């Protein structure tokens, strides 16, 4: 018997009717002769609500207590879904991460999964039960509750699929697949029938929140066949995410993404001496702050450099506290901050060895009258930081420039 892992996001379990709809999708897979594990997120905007509630109590809540709080959202939805499946006449059991044994590293708010125990899952599946597992959460070796980062239920689902050697992992959501860009921003976005792990990983990391980046990374690592499909049209096959070797690449650019959740920080007049960059970025890394784009200016006659980089908004307060300390240690002059930025990116395995893609990108952004503040490139992506207010205009311009607009069908997006 094959194992299938299904994952349903917050909007897909937003109310009782939607939970019943999810129950039917799980039952359909079970009736097709598969053993089914369903991973669900918290209902609707529960997690946002809990974050807000915490901020009313504390401006700087401890990350341990945040994880205790946020993990409760998923416990509500798994129990309700198990009840809905039972109500429809099928056997189901809900389990939180500590009951399953989803073991993570000892880091709060963005823990990585280290191991998943499969004994209890296998036992219940062999009893003929549909297992409903809480997404987003884990437990450390010492029994502390952790969470995997916002959007992390996708990663829970793929990791469970890998641990169980599942036949496939289906991510059901409120759009009917992966599009060339967010169809809520560009209604002319085109649905992709398939996309490579590599491109999807870039798009997800660059702001296409349709999949959690670590879910794609895990699927790639363990070769889990991954599909993004609609919660509301169960027969639509959505988008398959597969190895690049299986694809024929026609277009240089497969997708466009925007990330509006970054902040730009610059440290001015850093003395041009060995070890200062290591000190800045080492101190941030020690406290688990990830740094994204980095630019160092050409050294000035007074033998200093300006170093600018971006961090996630959620790490901003922590980053500034660390940097104030480092600034005085290394004798830099000043820290400046720009919160009104967005990173827009183009991604495509087909851009390798095709010159001119970067200049086309800069031209399209400039034709839209938008200024570029930072640039970074890798083999299959180019990113530019622009003014946040103009991010959507930049996305639209790039989508058109790289011939991704579709002319006939408008994207299917559930409200
Ligand atoms: P869920 O609650 O199911 O996890 P998310 O809100 O996390 O759903 O992800 C789905 C959303 O991702 C869509 O509603 C869409 O607006 C957004 N999105 C961003 N980029 C893309 C893209 N390239 N293709 C499809 N959806 C995208
Ligand atoms: N409920 C969590 C969040 O809102 C996890 C998820 O939805 O994947 O981020
Ligand atoms: Mg999501």
């Amino acid at each position: 018997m094959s194992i299938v892992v299904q994952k349903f996001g917050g909007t897909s379990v937003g109310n009782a009717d939607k939970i019943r709809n999810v129950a039917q999708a799980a039952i359909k897979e079970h009736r097709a002769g598969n053993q089914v594990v369903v991973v669900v997120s918290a209902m609707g905007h529960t997690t946002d609500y809990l974050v807000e509630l915490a901020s009313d109590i504390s401006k700087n809540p401890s990350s341990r207590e945040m994880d205790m709080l946020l993990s409760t959202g998923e416990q509500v939805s798994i129990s309700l879904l198990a009840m809905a499946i039972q109500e429809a006449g099928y056997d189901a059991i809900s389990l939180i991460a500590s009951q399953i044994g989803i073991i993570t590293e000892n880091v709060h708010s963005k823990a990585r999964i280290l191991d998943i125990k499969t004994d209890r899952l296998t036992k219940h599946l062999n009893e003929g039960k549909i297992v409903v597992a809480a997404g987003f959460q884990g437990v450390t070796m010492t029994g502390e509750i952790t969470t995997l980062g916002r959007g992390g239920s996708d990663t829970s689902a793929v990791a469970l699929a890998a641990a169980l050697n599942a036949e496939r992992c289906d991510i059901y959501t409120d759009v009917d697949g992966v599009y060339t860009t967010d169809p809520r921003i560009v209604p002319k976005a085109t649905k992709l029938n398939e996309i490579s792990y590599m491109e999807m990983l870039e798009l997800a990391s660059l702001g296409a929140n349709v999949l959690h980046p670590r879910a794609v990374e895990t699927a790639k690592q363990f070769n889990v066949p991954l599909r993004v499909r609609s919660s509301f049209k169960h027969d639509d096959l959505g988008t398959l995410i597969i190895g690049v070797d299986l694809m024929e690449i026609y277009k240089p650019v497969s997708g466009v993404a925007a990330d509006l959740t970054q902040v730009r920080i610059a440290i001015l007049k850093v003395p041009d001496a060995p070890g200062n960059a290591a000190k800045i970025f080492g101190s941030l890394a020690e406290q688990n702050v990830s740094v994204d784009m980095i630019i160092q200016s050409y050294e000035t006659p007074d033998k200093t450099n300006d170093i600018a980089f971006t961090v996630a908004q959620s790490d901003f307060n922590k980053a500034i506290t660390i940097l104030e300390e480092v600034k005085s240690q290394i004798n830099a002059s000043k820290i400046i901050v720009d919160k009104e930025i967005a990173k827009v990116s183009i991604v495509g395995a087909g851009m390798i060895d095709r010159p001119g893609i970067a200049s086309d990108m800069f031209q399209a952004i400039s034709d839209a009258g938008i200024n570029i503040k930072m640039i970074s490139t890798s083999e299959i992506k180019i990113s530019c930081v622009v003014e946040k207010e103009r991010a959507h205009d930049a996305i639209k311009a790039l989508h058109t420039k790289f011939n991704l607009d579709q002319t006939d069908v408008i994207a299917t997006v559930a409200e």
Side-chain angles (χ1 to χ4, degrees):
M1 221 182 234
S2 302
I3 298 177
V4 172
V5 176
Q6 301 179 309
K7 180 261 167 177
F8 292 85
T11 34
S12 309
V13 290
N15 59 36
D17 277 340
K18 288 184 175 171
I19 289 175
R20 278 189 277 271
N21 171 56
V22 170
Q24 285 311 317
I27 289 167
K28 185 175 166 200
E29 209 56 84
H30 176 80
R31 283 175 59 99
N34 296 307
Q35 293 188 321
V36 182
V37 176
V38 197
V39 176
V40 279
S41 302
M43 290 173 73
H45 298 288
T46 303
T47 313
D48 292 333
Y49 164 73
L50 293 173
V51 169
E52 224 180 286
L53 201 57
S55 74
D56 284 348
I57 301 282
S58 164
K59 283 289 152 263
N60 199 9
S62 95
S63 50
R64 179 191 186 274
E65 299 311 328
M66 276 309 277
D67 279 356
M68 283 298 274
L69 176 69
L70 299 191
S71 63
T72 60
E74 273 68 15
Q75 190 165 344
V76 172
S77 50
I78 54 168
S79 49
L80 291 173
L81 177 57
M83 286 176 206
I85 296 171
Q86 291 162 359
E87 196 63 25
Y90 291 82
D91 212 355
I93 181 166
S94 65
L95 297 172
I96 55 174
S98 53
Q99 290 173 306
I100 296 171
I102 301 181
I103 311 296
T104 71
E105 57 187 4
N106 194 11
V107 170
H108 287 291
S109 87
K110 49 183 169 188
R112 284 180 170 267
I113 296 174
L114 300 175
D115 186 28
I116 295 185
K117 312 272 180 240
T118 52
D119 329 10
R120 186 152 183 199
L121 291 166
T122 311
K123 172 175 162 277
H124 292 311
L125 290 172
N126 288 340
E127 289 164 354
K129 292 187 170 120
I130 295 174
V131 175
V132 184
F136 181 51
Q137 51 176 263
V139 66
T140 67
M141 292 295 280
T142 53
E144 290 296 317
I145 306 272
T146 53
T147 62
L148 312 183
R150 296 302 306 268
S153 298
D154 298 336
T155 299
S156 312
V158 176
L160 281 164
L164 290 164
N165 208 2
E167 186 192 82
R168 64 195 148 87
C169 180
D170 287 343
I171 307 287
Y172 288 83
T173 184
D174 56 1
V175 283
D176 56 1
V178 177
Y179 281 73
T180 45
T181 194
D182 188 340
R184 290 182 197 278
I185 299 171
V186 182
K188 282 186 198 161
T190 310
K191 186 172 130 188
L192 302 165
N193 290 328
E194 50 187 40
I195 183 167
S196 66
Y197 289 123
M198 210 163 73
E199 290 166 302
M200 191 64 238
L201 181 56
E202 289 285 5
L203 278 177
S205 310
L206 295 166
N209 58 342
V210 63
L211 277 177
H212 195 236
R214 289 202 333 254
V216 187
E217 207 174 66
T218 309
K220 180 171 185 270
Q221 188 181 350
F222 295 97
N223 248 317
V224 177
L226 185 62
R227 215 175 252 291
V228 172
R229 54 199 300 183
S230 167
S231 287
F232 309 104
K233 292 193 288 172
H234 297 168
D235 292 328
D236 189 315
L237 285 179
T239 303
L240 181 65
I241 295 117
I242 51 171
V244 71
D245 46 325
L246 301 174
M247 293 186 58
E248 293 194 43
I249 295 160
Y250 301 107
K251 287 187 171 177
V253 175
S254 314
V256 182
D259 181 352
L260 279 65
T261 64
Q262 300 223 336
V263 180
R264 180 165 69 142
I265 302 176
I267 310 187
L268 306 186
K269 292 192 179 293
V270 175
D272 189 30
N276 280 345
K279 181 111 200 153
I280 296 171
F281 297 111
S283 310
L284 291 166
E286 247 169 50
Q287 301 284 325
N288 242 317
V289 175
S290 303
V291 171
D292 191 20
M293 297 167 94
I294 304 177
I295 290 183
Q296 177 171 316
S297 66
Y298 200 75
E299 74 192 63
T300 53
D302 67 352
K303 291 267 178 257
T304 64
N305 288 310
D306 294 344
I307 300 182
F309 51 90
T310 60
V311 299
Q313 257 163 21
S314 52
D315 282 336
F316 175 69
N317 288 339
K318 202 156 121 187
I320 287 295
T321 312
I322 298 165
L323 291 169
E324 287 293 352
E325 172 80 31
V326 176
K327 186 191 86 178
S328 39
Q329 284 173 15
I330 63 175
N331 254 326
S333 81
K334 197 174 173 187
I335 296 174
I336 52 176
V337 168
D338 182 1
K339 291 189 172 174
E340 295 307 311
I341 60 151
K343 182 173 65 173
V344 296
S345 310
I346 56 172
V347 171
M351 73 171 69
I352 298 172
D353 291 334
R354 282 200 219 192
I357 303 294
S359 60
D360 283 353
M361 179 180 193
F362 306 150
Q363 191 63 52
I365 294 178
S366 136
D367 289 348
I370 300 167
N371 189 31
I372 297 174
K373 297 171 182 241
M374 288 171 110
I375 297 170
S376 80
T377 62
S378 79
E379 207 175 24
I380 67 159
K381 70 127 207 266
I382 307 169
S383 301
C384 297
V385 167
V386 299
E387 219 181 308
K388 189 180 264 176
E389 222 179 32
R390 302 295 315 276
H392 290 179
D393 295 334
I395 290 298
K396 286 179 189 147
L398 292 169
H399 202 263
T400 304
K401 179 80 175 183
F402 291 103
N403 299 318
L404 299 172
D405 290 351
Q406 65 176 344
T407 42
D408 40 0
V409 201
I410 293 294
T412 311
V413 175
E415 284 322 311

